[in-house]
Amino acid sequence: DAKTTQPPSMDCAEGRAANLPCNHSTISGNEYVYWYRQIHSQGPQYIIHGLKNNETNEMASLIITEDRKSSTLILPHATLRDTAVYYCIVRLSGGSNYKLTFGKGTLLTVNP
Amino acid sequence: EAGVAQSPRYKIIEKRQSVAFWCNPISGHATLYWYQQILGQGPKLLIQFQNNGVVDDSQLPKDRFSAERLKGVDSTLKIQPAKLEDSAVYLCASSLMASGDTQYFGPGTRLTVL
């Protein structure tokens, strides 16, 4: 079962920042937070991941709370092409099995 | 760089028939994954290969599903016989190694069992 809780859906206006929350209250010290997204009729696409510190790349920023029990994915300037299901996943950092356990994610709809 | 290739993109079969899906991972990627995604749900891992060895097949319904990755490159996932509840998108993903690397997904094969 997924170890994360996300709202089922969110709306955002084009050009505004989209802030997608995720709760992972049972996360352990050696587990990373990963974000993937899935645009309609495509396979999931990696966005970003982090352990403790905030992370930023060309796609998004990831803010992880100090207690690591929740995080927020930020798309700074959402476009219509960002409409997708966003998955927050907690994943081990050691061992040989790095399977991704997906929940139902958040459907982000970016409106013109 | 070419992405993960899958074929066919769509398949419609009758229940009790057999079907096979093919996946070609990104060149040089040692780890290959097959996921099943039922409508409205997130993908669920069926099987993970490291080169041509199975790392995890705990969620593969072995009475009807089989998968192989001969020579540690391409992979085939087979269902025989298919059931109505097997209607789903079958996604293949690959990563450079297993050790926490990013997984890259193909476009998937949409299977409809009538």
Side-chain angles (χ1 to χ4, degrees):
Chain A
D1 292 328
K3 297 184 183 180
T4 61
T5 304
Q6 299 177 254
S9 63
M10 294 182 63
D11 286 332
C12 177
E14 188 177 19
R16 305 296 294 269
N19 297 285
L20 293 94
C22 179
N23 287 322
H24 32 79
S25 58
T26 61
I27 193 170
S28 60
N30 62 348
E31 289 180 318
Y32 284 77
V33 179
Y34 276 74
W35 284 84
Y36 279 74
R37 74 179 182 183
Q38 188 171 23
I39 295 170
H40 183 63
S41 296
Q42 297 183 20
Q45 174 192 25
Y46 166 80
I47 302 173
I48 198 167
H49 74 281
L51 184 63
K52 294 181 183 178
N53 300 321
N54 299 336
E55 302 288 344
T56 296
N57 63 20
E58 65 278 4
M59 289 183 69
S61 295
L62 174 61
I63 309 298
I64 302 174
T65 58
E66 191 168 346
D67 63 8
R68 302 186 68 239
K69 292 185 177 181
S70 66
S71 60
T72 302
L73 178 74
I74 301 172
L75 307 179
H77 305 287
T79 70
L80 299 179
R81 288 181 291 182
D82 291 323
T83 292
V85 177
Y86 287 76
Y87 297 100
C88 170
I89 300 164
V90 166
R91 184 193 197 194
L92 283 173
S93 62
S96 62
N97 186 336
Y98 295 92
K99 69 180 180 182
L100 297 171
T101 301
F102 289 83
K104 293 189 176 182
T106 296
L107 173 61
L108 174 68
T109 302
V110 181
N111 300 305
Chain B
E1 178 183 85
V4 176
Q6 291 189 247
S7 67
R9 290 297 313 277
Y10 305 92
K11 189 73 176 178
I12 301 174
I13 62 172
E14 300 277 338
K15 61 182 179 183
R16 291 187 289 274
Q17 286 187 322
S18 63
V19 65
F21 313 125
W22 173 81
C23 172
N24 182 232
I26 293 173
S27 177
H29 280 196
T31 309
L32 185 146
Y33 312 79
W34 283 102
Y35 289 82
Q36 178 193 58
Q37 185 172 23
I38 293 172
L39 187 64
Q41 299 181 19
K44 181 186 80 171
L45 180 72
L46 293 176
I47 189 167
Q48 174 187 341
F49 291 94
Q50 176 72 13
N51 296 309
N52 59 354
V54 175
V55 174
D56 182 356
D57 63 356
S58 57
Q59 297 193 86
L60 186 73
K62 299 180 185 64
D63 57 334
R64 297 184 300 105
F65 285 65
S66 65
E68 60 182 11
R69 191 183 184 200
L70 300 176
K71 301 180 182 178
V73 182
D74 293 6
S75 178
T76 302
L77 177 69
K78 296 180 182 178
I79 308 175
Q80 182 178 13
K83 294 185 175 181
L84 297 177
E85 59 262 35
D86 298 332
S87 293
V89 175
Y90 291 85
L91 294 158
C92 179
S94 70
S95 62
L96 190 60
M97 294 292 290
S99 54
D101 280 339
T102 299
Q103 293 184 25
Y104 296 88
F105 285 78
T109 296
R110 181 176 297 277
L111 174 67
T112 302
V113 182
L114 301 175

